[in-house]
Structure formats: C-alpha cells, structure tokens
C-alpha cells in the first residue's frame, strides 16, 4: 500500500545499537543491554521489577504461571482483545470468563466484571485498547473488596497512563509488547513487570527454565538446579539493545502520534456531527499513547466497503479484534452470540486509520479526504 497502516520507527541509531551489541560478541539473554533496558523501563514505569520477554504473549504466560492457577480458577478478561490475553489463562490451567467492553473506550466494562465475578474468580485482566486504559478504579470497585489480583494486558500501553500512573502498573502484574506494530518496536519483544517481590521470584524461575539460576548468579546458592516446571522466556540481548535505542525516541514518537491523532479528531468531527461515524473517546483520567486511531461506522457492510474504498486509493485501513467468545475456541468454551453485545457490535463496525510517526501531513490529508469522499462520492 502507498500509505500503510503502520510503519515502525527504525533508523540509523537502531542500526548502530544493533551492530554495537553484535560486535560486543555476547548476545545471549539477560546480557548488558537487556539489563540496561530493564532498568530504563523500571524507571519509566516506576516499578521495582521488569523482565524482558520475547513477546507480550510470553509475558502474559509468565504472569498466569506466576499466579499458580488451579483447575477451575477463573480469569475475567474482555472478549474484545488479542488471543494471547486468553491463551495464557488456558495454558496455565485456568478458565477464561469473557466480559464485555464499554462502547466509548472499548475497554473492560466494570459492570460486566461485577456480573461475571464468582467464588472461583482468581484474577481480572483489564486490557489497554488503542493506548487507552480501562476505568481501573471502577474495575477495582467491582471486585467488592476481594483481594483479587489485577493483571494488566498493556501490550498497547507503553507511554500511556491512568491518573498519572503508567498504564500496566496499576495491578500486581503488567505485560507490554514491542511487536513491530507497537509504538516502540523491537520486531518481536515484550516485558513483564510486577510490584510484588513474590511474583517476581516465581517469574524469574519460570523464565529461566524452572531453575534458580538467578539466585546462583547473585551468589545466593552455590549451584543452580531445577526447582519447578519452567520454560525459556529470555529474548536475545539484541532485543535489549534495540529497545534502548527505541526508548531514546519515545518522547518524539509520542509527540508525532499525538499530533496525528488530534488532527484526525478535529477534522473528522463534522462527519461525527452528521451521524456518519463515531470518534474515539479519551476520558479525562487517561493519558493515551495514541497507539491506534479508530472510528466506528454504521454497520459491518459499511465498514467493509470502507476498507475496499481506501484500498483502491492505496491506503491501508483495517478492522481489529474479532470477539473471542465467538471464535471456534470461544464457542467450545461456551461462548454464544449475545454474550458480549457491545463487543459484537463495535468489532463489526470498527475501522482503523493509518497512524505512525512518519505519516506525513500530506498523506494524512489524503486519508481524511478519502473518508470524506467515501461518505459523499
Ligand atoms: C492486547 C494485546 N495483548 C497481547 C498481544 C500480544 O503481543 P505480542 O505480539 O508481543 O505477543 C497483543 C498484540 O497485538 C495485544 O494487542
């Protein structure tokens, strides 16, 4: 496509960072760059513990394994999310309970969390959508005073915040993605963060193949050994090197995205006033990182026609998550139409527009003009 949906912000500084790390001759996991990138992230997010992982998918698996779910334990999460939010629960032996989202931000609906709460609820997983945090206070209130851990899927959340706290750090654990599509990118990559030392200790062991290697490296045990079932959730040190150079660019990336996002909001306002589309909402307690710009159209056929219309002009647009409760796996778990009505409606009408730092003003003018033309050819 002439105008893509996203373009990762790689440049010569990233090339230099990767080459320097490679020439250092040591790029195994948890090397010098991984260490420095983890410290930078911990400072940025204001959390004590960060582990880099090969992806957010792995970070979510680490979080669910650290929770030590027992058979029958339930985790409430939105149906409107990426498959990894749900896979991690099933892989850790838990049960997924799908809840609906609220229409304005497409994030977890606190009222539906309250409805889905059961004696078996073991965790709740709010998901940052488009760089916007869910209403975390209302979700906490919905837990009715029970000490149920909140694990945030902040795959899309780096650089965003909720009431001044970094998105992904309000719960006991949080997970981030540095996939190619995200604001900061290492191709594939992720991070697990926690505010809790016990979860951190468990996660370190699981991530290091189920061994106490970390304690050995710290001189706390004289040999390292297999202490529980684990896996290898370490990215190569090249990921840390690239993440460091990407982190240097975070403020300018956010700034460009913010400008593009607000221009869409301003210039598409008349289309909303004419009832042709619904613009995204930024609640006052939320600072977005402007990861996605989306609009809701009247219905699914209109949305699908819009994607084709843009495509004919060389502009990439896209739909997004399909309701997980209606996927083949979701249906096998008992999901049926009508379970999450807002998810079902919004998912079928959602259209994402190009947003990335190097989107030029002229290219954005074309995208906006195309949307106007779509409605009045
Ligand atoms: C909400 C959410 N969770 C998890 C993931 C998985 O991230 P990764 O590709 O880093 O595994 C994504 C990816 O887009 C996502 O949007």
């Amino acid at each position: 496509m002439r105008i893509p949906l996203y373009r990762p912000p790689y440049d010569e500084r990233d090339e230099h960072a990767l080459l320097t790390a490679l020439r250092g001759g040591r790029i195994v996991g948890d090397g010098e760059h991984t260490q420095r990138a983890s410290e930078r992230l911990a400072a940025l997010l204001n959390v004590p513990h960060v582990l880099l992982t090969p992806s957010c998918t792995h970070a979510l698996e680490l979080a669910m394994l650290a929770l030590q779910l027992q058979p029958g334990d339930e985790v409430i999460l939105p149906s409107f999310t990426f498959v990894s939010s749900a896979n991690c629960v099933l892989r850790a032996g838990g049960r997924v309970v799908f809840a609906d989202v609220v229409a304005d931000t497409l994030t977890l609906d606190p009222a539906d969390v309250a409805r889905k709460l059961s004696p078996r609820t073991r965790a709740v997983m709010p998901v940052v959508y488009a760089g916007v945090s869910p209403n975390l206070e209302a979700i906490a209130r919905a837990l009715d005073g029970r000490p149920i851990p909140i694990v945030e899927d902040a795959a899309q959340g780096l650089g965003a915040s909720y009431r001044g706290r970094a998105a992904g750090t309000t719960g006991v654990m949080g997970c981030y993605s540095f996939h190619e599509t995200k604001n900061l990118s290492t191709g594939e990559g992720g991070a697990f963060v926690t505010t809790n030392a016990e979860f951190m200790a468990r996660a370190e062991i699981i991530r290091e193949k189920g061994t106490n290697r970390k304690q050995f490296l710290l001189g706390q045990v004289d040999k390292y050994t297999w202490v529980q079932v684990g896996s290898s959730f370490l990215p190569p040190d090249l990921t840390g090197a690239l993440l460091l150079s990407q982190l240097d660019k975070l403020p300018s990336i956010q700034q460009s995205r913010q400008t593009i996002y607000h221009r869409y909001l301003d210039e598409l306002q008349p289309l909303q006033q004419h009832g042709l589309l619904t613009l995204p909402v930024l609640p006052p307690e939320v600072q977005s990182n402007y990861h996605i710009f989306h609009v809701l159209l009247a219905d699914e056929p209109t949305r699908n026609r819009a994607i084709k219309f843009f495509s004919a002009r060389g502009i990439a647009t896209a739909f997004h998550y399909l309701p997980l409760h209606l996927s083949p796996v979701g249906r096998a778990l008992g999901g049926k139409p009508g379970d999450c009505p807002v998810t079902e409606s919004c998912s079928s009408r959602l259209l994402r527009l190009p947003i990335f730092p190097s989107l030029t003003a002229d290219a954005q003018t074309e995208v906006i003009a195309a949307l106007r033309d779509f409605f009045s050819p």
Side-chain angles (χ1 to χ4, degrees):
M1 286 285 168
R2 224 167 23 77
I3 303 179
L5 191 63
Y6 72 93
R7 186 178 286 132
Y10 304 140
D11 61 21
E12 311 73 44
R13 285 171 291 177
D14 299 310
E15 288 172 19
H16 179 73
L18 284 171
L19 264 182
T20 308
L22 190 60
R23 286 178 182 154
R26 191 172 178 279
I27 53 169
V28 289
D30 281 346
E32 178 206 329
H33 299 92
T34 305
Q35 185 61 33
R36 279 175 37 218
S38 308
E39 285 164 11
R40 286 264 304 266
L41 268 184
L44 178 73
L45 300 170
N46 196 22
V47 288
H49 310 289
V50 173
L51 293 174
L52 293 198
T53 56
S55 66
C56 184
T57 300
H58 286 87
L60 288 163
E61 289 190 14
L62 206 47
M64 288 302 126
L65 292 170
L67 273 181
Q68 299 182 324
L69 297 179
Q70 301 302 310
D73 280 354
E74 296 173 354
V75 179
I76 301 175
L77 54 100
S79 171
F80 186 71
T81 183
F82 191 63
V83 290
S84 299
S85 321
N87 268 326
C88 62
V89 177
L90 300 178
R91 283 174 60 79
R95 284 193 56 217
V96 171
V97 175
F98 289 117
D100 210 348
V101 290
V102 288
D104 57 354
T105 57
L106 303 181
T107 58
L108 191 58
D109 178 358
D112 207 27
V113 171
R115 280 192 288 274
K116 302 279 161 72
L117 212 58
S118 90
R120 298 308 308 260
T121 305
R122 184 67 179 79
V124 174
M125 187 190 292
V127 176
V128 174
Y129 185 67
V132 172
S133 288
N135 186 339
L136 295 165
E137 282 169 332
I139 291 171
R141 277 199 301 276
L143 304 184
D144 216 12
R146 288 171 55 190
I148 296 171
I150 291 191
V151 179
E152 276 191 74
D153 181 340
Q156 305 179 8
L158 193 77
S161 63
Y162 178 82
R163 291 207 189 280
R165 281 177 76 161
T169 67
T170 304
V172 71
M173 292 184 266
C175 303
Y176 300 85
S177 174
F178 309 119
H179 181 261
E180 186 118 292
T181 49
K182 301 300 181 293
N183 290 18
L184 291 195
S185 165
T186 59
E188 301 281 353
F192 164 90
V193 309
T194 178
T195 48
N196 179 297
E198 199 182 322
F199 284 130
M200 183 61 178
R202 284 188 209 155
E204 275 174 340
I205 290 173
I206 296 162
R207 179 170 171 270
E208 268 287 12
K209 299 94 180 164
T211 71
N212 55 357
R213 185 163 181 271
K214 178 76 185 288
Q215 287 168 285
F216 168 70
L217 293 174
L218 292 173
Q220 293 164 351
V221 292
D222 60 356
K223 289 191 190 66
Y224 79 87
T225 179
W226 187 24
V227 291
Q228 71 169 83
V229 177
S231 188
S232 180
F233 291 163
L234 279 78
D237 205 40
L238 290 172
T239 304
L242 186 50
L243 183 57
L244 276 171
S245 75
Q246 289 275 304
L247 279 166
D248 288 340
K249 289 180 273 192
L250 183 61
S252 66
I253 289 172
Q254 299 293 85
Q255 186 57 55
S256 316
R257 285 181 166 273
Q258 180 172 0
T259 305
I260 295 165
Y261 190 100
H262 281 285
R263 181 169 172 213
Y264 275 139
L265 270 189
D266 292 346
E267 298 197 20
L268 298 179
Q269 196 67 45
L271 297 180
Q272 174 162 268
Q273 277 154 7
H274 284 96
L276 296 168
L277 53 74
T278 307
L279 293 169
V281 172
L282 296 175
E285 67 275 16
V286 160
Q287 173 62 57
S288 178
N289 66 6
Y290 310 102
H291 174 56
I292 287 172
F293 187 89
H294 60 85
V295 295
L296 295 177
L297 300 184
D299 50 32
E300 189 166 11
T302 309
R303 190 273 310 274
N304 294 347
R305 271 192 291 111
I307 292 177
K308 285 202 183 112
F309 184 87
F310 275 104
S311 175
R313 293 194 177 191
I315 301 170
T317 58
F319 57 92
H320 209 187
Y321 308 134
L322 301 178
L324 286 184
H325 69 286
L326 298 180
S327 66
V329 177
R331 283 179 192 264
L333 297 173
K336 49 189 187 326
D339 284 352
C340 298
V342 179
T343 299
E344 290 165 35
S345 162
C346 294
S347 162
S348 68
R349 299 185 290 122
L350 187 143
L351 179 76
R352 287 185 288 157
L353 302 182
I355 182 165
F356 50 88
S358 54
L359 182 71
T360 62
D362 285 351
Q364 191 177 10
T365 303
E366 264 195 68
V367 178
I368 294 167
L371 197 48
R372 288 191 189 123
D373 293 351
F374 173 70
F375 288 116
S376 48

